[in-house]
Amino acid sequence: MPRFSRRTVGKAALATGLSVLVSTKSRAQERFDVVVVGGGFGGATAAKYIRKIAPKLSVALIEQNEVFYTCPFSNLVLGGVRPLNSIAHRYDNLASKWGITVIHQRAGRIDPGARLIRMPGGREIGFDKAILSPGIDFDLEAIPGYDKAALALMPHAWKAGPQTRDLRAQLEAMQDGGTVIISPPKNPFRCPPGPYERASMIAHYLKTAKPKSKILILDPKSKFSKEGLFKQAWKQLYPGMIEHLAAADDGEVVRVDARKLELESAFGTVHKGDVVNFIPPQTAGVIATNAGLANDDGWCPVDPVTFESRKAKDVHIIGDSAVAGAMPKSGFSANSQGKIAALNVVAALTGRQPVDGSFANTCYSFVAPDYGISVAKVYRSTPDSIVGIEGSGGLSPKDADADFRAAEAHYAEGWYDAITQDMFG
Ligand code: FAD
């Protein structure tokens, strides 16, 4: 529920002789203690946990979509293992159970100086503290030939939802014997093991539905997350089906022709696919970059304890958009950061000391529906960055047996149910 502006409260307080902190900065009529932009892994978590920790604070969550499709498990949709609606989540509990004002509109601009968010139609929403968790946007100018039309012809499916459905439809329509090309971007990008899980799940589908088909991964990097485990499993489960070209093998794509479904490599080789999943280079969400909150690389530097922007007071940035030291851009990271940001935003609003962060991340990947692998680590805030704690976490063992891999796939299902309940339950 919105509250009165601080100016109004200030006047009332003066009239009654009470002493309160009076700010005349924001002139918005509609105001909340905290406004969260983006109802995904970081934002939904932060909004809910602020209300959990401090039920008296008013919280608005601005999220453009009424349904949130998780990227985690979207590769299983591409592999035909799960339907799209199994990764769909709504915001009803956040509104009815947690008392969050959920606003389904696209936030236009944030004005950190005036402490307000400009919405379509001239609506302005003021805040004492804002938390931005807008995820990623794409750098459409980074690769020549890749443009808005390419988004439809070569669905990236790197934001789950309609793009996941479109890419799945292309895979279903492909002839047996076709080539699927997957082209991940350079680091950093959302979900480092995601492209390789995607190759695995598409291979799982092709193995039975279109066994003469091939998958080619054109990679601008020299190594990738969980590489040894993925490659071992590919040999065992999908022999001869997946080819991976690293940067040194001429894997870097420098030009795209979306109409011809062609990708050109740095050494001039043209690869033609029947389905092309080009995953473009990424930046912080556009609401953050438009407000000048990003650095030259396109990501938002933040205080590693409070997640307050290094470029704007009272605006906190979490999740994929933030520069979070050693933490990977994952849903688990965003969820973990959402809780620490919530704690520290409440601390600031109630005059308490900030709390140092301790964070966790586990990234599960499916190589087949009953074959899971994982990497895990614990992190902590230092004054300059977020660092991994030596000796924490680890990687799945290389030569584990089928039961072990099946158990990890089972744990991944449990992780998904738990984290989505934590965000939306
Ligand atoms: P998001 O979760 O994307 O949320 C951002 C939200 O902000 C969106 O709902 C968007 O609609 C909204 N938004 C943006 N701008 C505005 C605006 N101006 N106004 C209103 N709303 C706005 N992570 C894992 O931990 N485990 C996995 O197994 C895993 N698998 C993945 C598989 C794939 C294929 C991909 C692509 C990613 C995967 N990830 C995984 C990564 C994970 O999805 C992201 O790291 C996570 O979603 C980041 O959270 P976020 O809050 O930063 O952004």
Side-chain angles (χ1 to χ4, degrees):
M1 187 179 295
R3 60 185 176 80
F4 295 111
S5 74
R6 278 209 221 175
R7 201 178 304 172
T8 323
V9 174
K11 276 183 190 161
L14 286 175
T16 55
L18 285 173
S19 151
V20 294
L21 190 68
V22 181
S23 162
T24 52
K25 271 189 178 169
S26 178
R27 54 190 166 73
Q29 285 304 305
E30 202 178 348
R31 294 182 49 78
F32 296 85
D33 294 310
V34 186
V35 175
V36 180
V37 178
F41 278 83
T45 307
K48 174 171 159 182
Y49 272 76
I50 288 172
R51 292 285 297 173
K52 221 173 173 175
I53 303 163
K56 287 193 179 147
L57 293 181
S58 58
V59 177
L61 173 63
I62 304 175
E63 164 55 50
Q64 59 196 342
N65 299 316
E66 289 188 12
V67 176
F68 179 74
Y69 293 94
T70 59
C71 286
F73 281 47
S74 65
N75 286 330
L76 280 81
V77 176
L78 294 176
V81 178
R82 272 184 171 234
L84 187 60
N85 67 13
S86 75
I87 57 167
H89 302 269
R90 301 184 67 90
Y91 295 88
D92 308 81
N93 285 332
L94 294 186
S96 62
K97 198 165 149 192
W98 294 100
I100 296 164
T101 301
V102 179
I103 300 166
H104 284 303
Q105 275 189 319
R106 183 167 174 81
R109 283 192 87 87
I110 178 166
D111 182 339
R115 285 203 267 178
L116 58 82
I117 291 168
R118 296 180 203 285
M119 305 294 289
R123 183 178 181 187
E124 292 180 342
I125 301 176
F127 58 81
D128 283 357
K129 287 277 190 187
I131 299 179
L132 305 185
S133 193
I136 51 159
D137 270 296
F138 300 107
D139 183 353
L140 294 184
E141 279 157 27
I143 307 281
Y146 193 82
D147 54 16
K148 279 206 172 136
L151 293 173
L153 298 165
M154 296 177 168
H156 52 72
W158 221 242
K159 291 185 185 186
Q163 283 259 321
T164 315
R165 189 196 52 221
D166 293 352
L167 184 55
R168 172 70 191 163
Q170 289 191 355
L171 292 166
E172 282 176 348
M174 190 181 82
Q175 299 284 322
D176 189 8
T179 300
V180 179
I181 304 181
I182 300 175
S183 174
K186 287 183 182 162
N187 292 324
F189 67 102
R190 160 177 282 184
C191 195
Y196 315 97
E197 180 189 64
R198 176 165 291 178
S200 310
M201 292 318 300
I202 293 176
H204 167 75
Y205 166 63
L206 297 177
K207 186 177 171 176
T208 43
K210 297 161 194 194
K212 287 187 268 173
S213 308
K214 295 260 181 282
I215 298 170
L216 173 63
I217 305 174
L218 296 175
D219 208 330
K221 301 184 289 299
S222 56
K223 54 185 180 155
F224 63 85
S225 172
K226 295 182 251 185
E227 180 165 356
L229 291 167
F230 273 115
K231 287 193 167 166
Q232 181 192 46
W234 291 345
K235 226 184 223 169
Q236 182 193 333
L237 300 173
Y238 313 116
M241 186 176 260
I242 302 176
E243 185 184 5
H244 175 258
L245 298 183
D249 313 318
D250 194 20
E252 183 176 357
V253 170
V254 294
R255 188 177 298 279
V256 168
D257 188 332
R259 282 150 202 87
K260 292 187 183 160
L261 293 179
E262 287 178 356
L263 301 180
E264 187 183 325
S265 74
F267 303 168
T269 313
V270 174
H271 296 275
K272 186 170 173 55
D274 295 284
V275 173
V276 179
N277 178 222
F278 182 79
I279 304 164
Q282 296 155 27
T283 65
V286 76
I287 188 164
T289 51
N290 279 352
L293 303 179
N295 60 20
D296 290 346
D297 297 332
W299 304 102
C300 300
V302 294
D303 179 294
V305 175
T306 62
F307 290 90
E308 187 168 35
S309 166
R310 296 275 196 205
K311 293 176 181 273
K313 202 170 149 8
D314 294 321
V315 177
H316 299 245
I317 306 169
I318 56 174
D320 289 351
S321 284
V323 177
M327 293 188 83
K329 295 189 186 301
S330 77
F332 200 140
S333 295
N335 170 266
S336 198
Q337 293 162 13
K339 292 174 188 173
I340 299 295
L343 213 56
N344 282 323
V345 160
V346 170
L349 290 174
T350 53
R352 277 180 271 155
Q353 287 299 311
V355 183
D356 277 357
S358 170
F359 310 90
N361 180 63
T362 305
C363 277
Y364 288 102
S365 300
F366 285 89
V367 192
D370 58 355
Y371 191 122
I373 54 177
S374 67
V375 59
K377 195 141 192 102
V378 181
Y379 302 84
R380 70 181 169 82
S381 303
T382 68
D384 303 322
S385 190
I386 298 176
V387 297
I389 294 178
E390 198 124 334
S392 69
L395 206 60
S396 305
K398 187 118 199 260
D399 294 309
D401 62 15
D403 285 348
F404 192 97
R405 302 299 190 211
E408 285 229 80
H410 184 63
Y411 301 149
E413 302 271 352
W415 168 81
Y416 183 86
D417 292 345
I419 199 165
T420 51
Q421 175 68 18
D422 194 32
M423 294 159 64
F424 297 110

